[in-house]
Amino acid sequence: MSLLEIRDLNLGIHSYDILKSVHLTVAPGEVVAVTGESGSGKSMTALAVMRLLPEAAHHSGSIRLDGTELLDLTEAQMCRLRGAAVGMVFQEPMTALNPVKTIGDQVMETILVHRAMTRERAEERAREVLTRVGLPPERFPLSRYPHELSGGQRQRVVIAMAIALRPKLLIADEPTTALDVTTQAQILDLLKGLVEEYGMGLLIITHDLAVVSDIADRITVMRYGEVVESGPTRRLFAEMRHPYTRMLFEASGHKVSLPPAPPPEPILSVEGVVRDYPLPRKLFRSQGHHRAVDHVSFALNRGERLGLVGESGCGKSTLTRALLGLEQVQAGRILLDGEPVFSGSRPNLAVRRKMQVVFQDPFGSFNPRHRVDRLITEPFHLLKAQPSGSERRDRIAEMLSAVGLSPDDAGKYIHEFSGGQRQRIAIARALIIRPELILFDEAVSALDVSVRAQILDLLAELCEAYNLTYLFISHDLSVVRTVTDRVLVMRAGQIVEQGETERVFSDPQHDYTRTLIAAAPVLPEIGALRA
Amino acid sequence: MLRYSLKRLLSLIVSLAVASVVIFAVIEVAPGDPASFMLGVNAQEDTLAALRAELGLDVPKVQRYFDWIGGLLVGDFGTSYTYRTPVAQMIADRMWVSLPLALYALALSTLIAFPAGIYAAARRGKPGDVAVMGATQLGVAVPNFWFAMMLVLIFAINLRWFGAGGFAGWDKGVWAGIHSLTLPAIALALPQAAILARVMRSALLDILGEDFMRTARAKGLTRRQALWRHGVRNALIPVLTILGLQFSFLLAGSIIIEQVFFLPGLGRLVFQAISSRDLIVVESVVMLLVFAVIMVNFLVDLAYALVDPRLRDRT
């Protein structure tokens, strides 16, 4: 019998249909993944099971948990169920915990709010579950606060809260999306282990097909609030009956065709760069430093696509800021075309003209009160002769066409565009002063796979058309693998390995590179599954 | 936590030193010579000089500054130019009215604002919220002296529960003192409570949208439990900031209310001292108020750290 059975679930918020006739089942001890792109309704499905929907939501259909119809329960009855029979883990470990309460209190709260045990027993149980999720109280006392833990550790605390009362069903909504690959692998292992040990059902929501194929027994693919296909993992990947599933799969493993790598002729040279941050001053001790970038040297050749990979905190963002001339370095030199990027006490504008950047967040990196024409012409202030009148209009039209938008879009505001279109606008903004080098700082990380594939294709086209050099900074190994010629692997402020991308990925030399590549979930080969 | 407190304490001392220089300088450069003011425009030059010498106005300014500061440190605030009595005594007398009044008003304002703000946030958009927000809108818009006059009209003149003004003094017992401060405290508290309730509500609404509130609900907490256990403490930081500012205001800003109720408070003292160019009194009262404001800020900083563990580790 199914533990969770969703039948014909319809959900609307005001007049919008969010879910349409969704069917889904989870058996005890089974891992079911719901996947799809943003707006597919996968998170709403999870929240519907918890009955934690926005107030304006109305629904019909049936959600049965262990035989109980959840949609008929009162709010008070649901409160008794949440945390006890169903646990939930969320995407953002950094904000999912209350910053002013200790982790011990927060784990114990799950137990105490259900009056399941006495305080002493609850504390005992909190120690047990925290140990089980890999935070033994000897090293992580219950009195720790969330800000004293890393993202992965916080996610372990959230999981401990969710499993403290051994719920029959655990719902995990993008539990590893915000984490580094090595941490992601550990958390997925933990979840799998818990399912086996406790016989829980696990409903995992993720956009990442590689994660899905790694962990799930069965998969449900959703689009626009509807289930398009579902079935056992191997069979679903082998058959892929629905074209949308096929498209998702292909977009996830999308390969772009890059022009051949150019002969080595350095455009950007980085020599022995060191960037220190002062640590908080301790009384009666000399000022300490954190070395975020530690004697980094590399050359970027004209026309080349170079990748920079590493986990959070490895120093790649600091290095990016230094390359852009936004910060002074403590030692070493950064030269673009032989000129320093940082001169005196500020960025060297003559050099900055040749270099532009595209950031991760397509929502936060535009002023919402400016129109597109003004947004993309912002870099004009770097030019000595700023184009005006018809020349300006022509440049704007050319750039918008180059990135696949219409020249008519120039008069629109940024909220009128989707995430993928915004990232195209960001690229147009970088391109409009015809730089030689563009830095992409996690530029496709926030995009859905199908959109990401299109943007990657666009980047490949543009680098040929405009003779561009790319530095591609990302934590996503599969993206870096397809879009770069050469790659640098960074760890704790140092470049631990560099070389031709395919060589580094197929035959990594450094232990850390091997760990990274081993931890990254991979998409199955379709042929292998059929066999 | 200790390092944090020491650091705050150091910044407190520096602020006080800077403030004293600024106050002294500003009041010294302000036009108006106390001696000629006291003796009138027709005074003889030698009489003026004699009075200046007597008041200690003839020594160099730097020395006068240090004499003043040195006096403040040992509790000697100098002698009033007009009343010829020790300033310390004058201020102390007034303090016994103004400080209890400010604390009383602050307590009332907190007692009204916290429940109102939390109630409104918990019922966002519902009639209860609309009613509370409407009332606070009124509280912010209407000046406190109008409340004061209405209170006098209703409770003193019609119902005769309270006196219409004046201060009974503490020697007739604590109750008599509190009784005569009640109407002024309410008049002072109402507009402050309205502001505080709005701050509480919006701080809580921000917190209600946080991920950890959803986590709390997913654990099985009811809406109300989540609000009280996870919401209120997180919302306290902005509320404490406003509370600190309000206390400083209440201490010195009650001058109009003191007039309406004939209270011998600090506000009236400053007002009279300014009108009669009694600079030494003005300087001392202003310095005292600055001291109070800086002390309150220091206490608010410490309260932040108690509320939010992240601040304890920050230096």
Side-chain angles (χ1 to χ4, degrees):
Chain A
M1 197 192 93
S2 291
L3 172 64
L4 176 72
E5 193 172 3
I6 302 177
R7 288 183 159 278
D8 205 20
L9 178 67
N10 291 291
L11 178 82
I13 295 180
H14 298 301
S15 59
Y16 294 99
D17 291 333
I18 306 290
L19 298 177
K20 289 165 234 161
S21 193
V22 169
H23 286 262
L24 184 77
T25 60
V26 182
E30 187 183 37
V31 180
V32 175
V34 179
T35 189
E37 297 189 291
S38 30
S40 64
K42 52 192 196 303
S43 288
M44 277 296 167
T45 308
L47 289 175
V49 177
M50 296 298 279
R51 294 262 312 270
L52 285 176
L53 294 164
E55 272 181 38
H58 47 88
H59 42 56
S60 65
S62 157
I63 303 176
R64 298 180 88 84
L65 179 74
D66 221 9
T68 311
E69 176 55 59
L70 297 186
L71 294 185
D72 292 345
L73 296 185
T74 62
E75 175 59 25
Q77 288 169 318
M78 271 316 293
C79 282
R80 284 200 283 281
L81 221 70
R82 287 185 205 119
V86 202
M88 185 154 181
V89 176
F90 299 95
Q91 171 172 357
E92 271 302 331
M94 300 313 268
T95 51
L97 293 169
N98 185 342
V100 306
K101 293 203 166 199
T102 63
I103 58 170
D105 278 347
Q106 298 195 54
V107 175
M108 280 163 64
E109 189 177 38
T110 307
I111 305 164
L112 295 174
V113 78
H114 291 284
R115 300 175 199 282
M117 309 173 187
T118 62
R119 235 195 131 71
E120 292 73 39
R121 286 274 318 281
E123 199 177 321
E124 196 50 42
R125 172 64 73 87
R127 284 178 209 285
E128 270 170 47
V129 284
L130 281 169
T131 308
R132 176 63 191 86
V133 300
L135 301 175
E138 304 86 67
R139 289 203 296 133
F140 301 94
L142 298 187
S143 58
R144 284 278 177 95
Y145 284 99
H147 71 275
E148 298 170 304
L149 302 176
S150 70
Q153 290 164 346
R154 290 186 209 192
Q155 195 63 308
R156 289 170 192 272
V157 176
V158 176
I159 293 173
M161 291 187 331
I163 61 161
L165 286 175
R166 305 268 171 93
K168 294 176 195 140
L169 176 69
L170 183 64
I171 302 177
D173 187 359
E174 304 274 7
T176 58
T177 305
L179 303 174
D180 283 324
V181 277
T182 49
T183 318
Q184 161 166 291
Q186 293 161 6
I187 295 288
L188 290 176
D189 273 348
L190 171 64
L191 288 173
K192 258 193 285 193
L194 289 170
V195 167
E196 276 163 31
E197 195 178 320
Y198 297 168
M200 288 187 305
L202 173 62
L203 180 66
I204 183 168
I205 295 171
T206 174
H207 69 286
D208 189 332
L209 278 186
V211 166
V212 169
S213 69
D214 223 27
I215 190 173
D217 299 315
R218 284 193 304 117
I219 298 178
T220 294
V221 183
M222 291 183 72
R223 183 181 60 169
Y224 306 143
E226 286 176 296
V227 173
V228 298
E229 185 166 4
S230 68
T233 305
R234 285 181 68 88
R235 205 187 79 205
L236 187 126
F237 274 129
E239 294 177 358
M240 290 205 255
R241 293 192 190 141
H242 198 282
Y244 179 70
T245 313
R246 191 168 291 274
M247 188 284 289
L248 266 188
F249 190 87
E250 276 161 9
S252 300
H254 185 71
K255 300 258 187 299
V256 303
S257 44
L258 289 176
E265 182 220 333
I267 173 172
L268 178 76
S269 76
V270 176
E271 297 160 17
V273 164
V274 171
R275 179 75 179 95
D276 288 332
Y277 286 112
L279 290 172
R281 192 181 280 277
K282 293 248 193 293
L283 225 51
F284 309 122
R285 264 182 247 169
S286 62
Q287 176 89 48
H289 288 283
H290 169 66
R291 184 149 288 187
V293 175
D294 188 1
H295 292 97
V296 164
S297 301
F298 66 89
L300 174 53
N301 296 321
R302 193 178 296 278
E304 186 184 38
R305 278 76 42 178
L306 179 66
L308 174 63
V309 297
E311 297 190 294
S312 39
C314 75
K316 55 188 196 299
S317 300
T318 308
L319 180 59
T320 309
R321 280 198 299 276
L323 295 181
L324 286 167
L326 296 175
E327 291 181 6
Q328 194 162 16
V329 296
Q330 276 63 51
R333 294 198 303 171
I334 303 173
L335 302 175
L336 183 66
D337 269 346
E339 302 263 349
V341 295
F342 194 89
S343 62
S345 57
R346 55 203 178 87
N348 183 347
L349 289 189
V351 170
R352 279 307 306 281
R353 240 166 261 153
K354 303 177 187 168
M355 175 161 61
Q356 286 291 301
V357 62
V358 177
F359 292 107
Q360 170 172 5
D361 187 354
F363 295 91
S365 49
F366 291 104
N367 185 333
R369 284 176 190 83
H370 292 173
R371 293 176 200 272
V372 167
D373 57 351
R374 181 159 174 197
L375 290 172
I376 67 171
T377 53
E378 270 173 322
F380 278 177
H381 77 272
L382 291 167
L383 300 181
K384 286 204 189 86
Q386 304 195 2
S388 58
S390 66
E391 192 195 346
R392 180 171 176 275
R393 271 196 305 280
D394 291 346
R395 287 277 279 271
I396 293 169
E398 186 200 338
M399 283 308 132
L400 287 175
S401 312
V403 297
L405 296 170
S406 148
D408 298 338
D409 291 331
K412 293 184 184 165
Y413 287 100
I414 200 71
H415 69 261
E416 299 173 63
F417 297 91
S418 68
Q421 288 171 326
R422 288 176 201 212
Q423 216 54 334
R424 286 174 191 271
I425 293 169
I427 295 168
R429 174 168 65 180
L431 208 54
I432 198 158
I433 57 167
R434 297 288 171 77
E436 293 172 30
L437 167 64
I438 301 184
L439 277 61
F440 293 92
D441 190 356
E442 301 281 4
V444 296
S445 304
L447 304 175
D448 277 325
V449 283
S450 57
V451 180
R452 188 176 76 190
Q454 293 162 8
I455 297 286
L456 290 175
D457 281 339
L458 173 69
L459 295 184
E461 272 167 41
L462 291 175
C463 75
E464 194 164 17
Y466 290 91
N467 212 359
L468 294 166
T469 310
Y470 289 164
L471 179 63
F472 212 92
I473 301 130
S474 182
H475 71 283
D476 190 330
L477 299 180
S478 64
V479 168
V480 169
R481 187 170 189 170
T482 170
V483 83
T484 64
D485 306 306
R486 217 151 52 82
V487 67
L488 312 170
V489 182
M490 195 166 179
R491 185 201 191 184
Q494 293 175 322
I495 305 280
V496 295
E497 179 160 4
Q498 55 178 310
E500 277 174 38
T501 306
E502 262 322 300
R503 206 272 301 145
V504 171
F505 275 87
S506 53
D507 182 23
Q509 298 300 310
H510 194 277
D511 281 345
Y512 178 68
T513 317
R514 277 188 217 120
T515 317
L516 267 189
I517 292 172
V522 280
L523 280 175
E525 303 271 330
I526 298 186
L529 282 164
R530 283 225 177 90
Chain B
M1 183 75 193
L2 184 69
R3 281 179 49 76
Y4 175 85
S5 314
L6 285 176
K7 234 179 151 152
R8 296 283 103 209
L9 194 65
L10 190 72
S11 95
L12 177 147
I13 293 168
V14 173
S15 312
L16 279 177
V18 173
S20 70
V21 174
V22 172
I23 290 166
F24 186 82
V26 167
I27 291 179
E28 286 298 322
V29 301
D33 171 24
S36 54
F37 190 85
M38 288 161 75
L39 294 177
V41 282
N42 299 323
Q44 300 287 320
E45 199 47 52
D46 53 340
T47 339
L48 273 175
L51 184 61
R52 286 205 189 100
E54 193 190 331
L55 296 176
L57 293 172
D58 54 344
V59 296
K61 290 198 164 142
V62 177
Q63 193 193 332
R64 273 220 327 274
Y65 170 77
F66 283 104
D67 288 348
W68 176 58
I69 289 294
L72 286 186
L73 290 177
V74 296
D76 174 12
F77 288 51
T79 306
S80 159
Y81 299 158
T82 22
Y83 298 100
R84 304 293 171 100
T85 49
V87 178
Q89 189 55 48
M90 294 170 72
I91 292 179
D93 289 345
R94 310 304 182 100
M95 243 353 212
W96 277 106
V97 179
S98 283
L99 192 62
L101 179 61
L103 288 172
Y104 195 178
L106 198 71
L108 283 178
S109 139
T110 312
L111 280 176
I112 301 169
F114 274 43
I118 294 169
Y119 175 88
R123 284 167 188 69
R124 180 184 198 170
K126 294 186 179 152
D129 178 27
V130 176
V132 171
M133 281 303 100
T136 60
Q137 189 82 61
L138 214 63
V140 174
V142 176
N144 56 14
F145 59 82
W146 188 85
F147 282 126
M149 293 188 299
M150 288 303 117
L151 289 170
V152 169
L153 202 63
I154 298 169
F155 294 101
I157 296 175
N158 286 337
L159 296 172
R160 296 185 176 277
W161 292 355
F162 297 91
F167 181 63
W170 295 106
D171 30 305
K172 294 208 183 92
V174 178
W175 176 240
I178 290 180
H179 193 251
S180 50
L181 289 182
T182 298
L183 288 188
I186 295 175
L188 277 175
L190 285 178
Q192 304 298 322
I195 296 169
L196 202 59
R198 295 180 80 88
V199 173
M200 184 79 195
R201 173 181 178 271
S202 69
L204 256 183
L205 286 181
D206 283 346
I207 298 293
L208 290 180
E210 292 283 342
D211 285 350
F212 61 79
M213 296 303 287
R214 192 182 53 185
T215 311
R217 298 274 287 133
K219 279 185 194 175
L221 272 72
T222 63
R223 216 177 278 280
R224 176 187 290 263
Q225 283 171 327
L227 180 81
W228 281 99
R229 295 189 194 181
H230 295 278
V232 173
R233 190 163 155 197
N234 275 293
L236 277 185
I237 291 269
V239 173
L240 279 173
T241 310
I242 301 296
L243 212 55
L245 293 174
Q246 291 193 335
F247 181 74
S248 318
F249 167 79
L250 288 173
L251 201 56
S254 53
I255 181 159
I256 296 174
I257 293 296
E258 285 175 12
Q259 293 294 342
V260 174
F261 288 98
F262 303 107
L263 292 177
L266 273 183
R268 265 174 93 186
L269 178 66
V270 184
F271 181 70
Q272 288 161 354
I274 292 173
S275 336
S276 57
R277 293 292 180 280
D278 200 344
L279 294 190
I280 187 100
V281 174
V282 179
E283 273 169 5
S284 301
V285 175
V286 172
M287 191 60 213
L288 192 78
L289 290 174
V290 167
F291 176 74
V293 170
I294 292 176
M295 270 315 281
V296 168
N297 278 335
F298 173 66
L299 292 176
V300 167
D301 279 345
L302 292 190
Y304 285 161
L306 284 181
V307 169
D308 194 334
R310 286 169 294 186
L311 293 174
R312 289 172 213 160
D313 305 338
R314 196 175 291 168
T315 45

